[in-house]
Amino acid sequence: AQAMVAESDPQASALGYKAEASTVDKAKFAKYADGQNCSSCALYASKSAEAGACGIFAGKMVAAKGWCNAYAKKG
Ligand code: SF4
């Protein structure tokens, strides 16, 4: 299985990625709105109930309940 993106990964950190969307720093990432998470993001490709691939983080998995500043609501 592919590794999960670490919140401390430089790219993840720059985008404010959190594996648990409710812990996003809302002061720094004002774009975040309650209820948003990777599973409803257009860049997310689900691989299991918990995790999936993300177009931003090649070769790693993000949490279904995660979030980052590149969030784009699935159309
Ligand atoms: Fe999650 Fe979307 Fe950010 Fe990828 S781009 S980490 S799927 S919110």
Side-chain angles (χ1 to χ4, degrees):
Q2 284 181 328
M4 298 296 292
V5 171
E7 293 176 359
S8 58
D9 172 282
Q11 190 184 9
S13 173
L15 286 169
Y17 172 78
K18 294 288 183 189
E20 181 57 59
S22 61
T23 68
V24 165
D25 182 346
K26 296 181 191 176
K28 215 170 157 189
F29 298 98
K31 184 182 149 186
Y32 173 76
D34 288 338
Q36 294 179 346
N37 61 34
C38 292
S39 69
S40 65
C41 176
L43 285 81
Y44 186 74
S46 180
K47 300 291 182 190
S48 74
E50 294 82 33
C54 165
I56 300 274
F57 300 101
K60 294 210 171 149
M61 303 271 274
V62 296
K65 292 178 177 168
W67 187 91
C68 90
N69 202 40
Y71 179 85
K73 192 173 166 58
K74 213 171 267 182

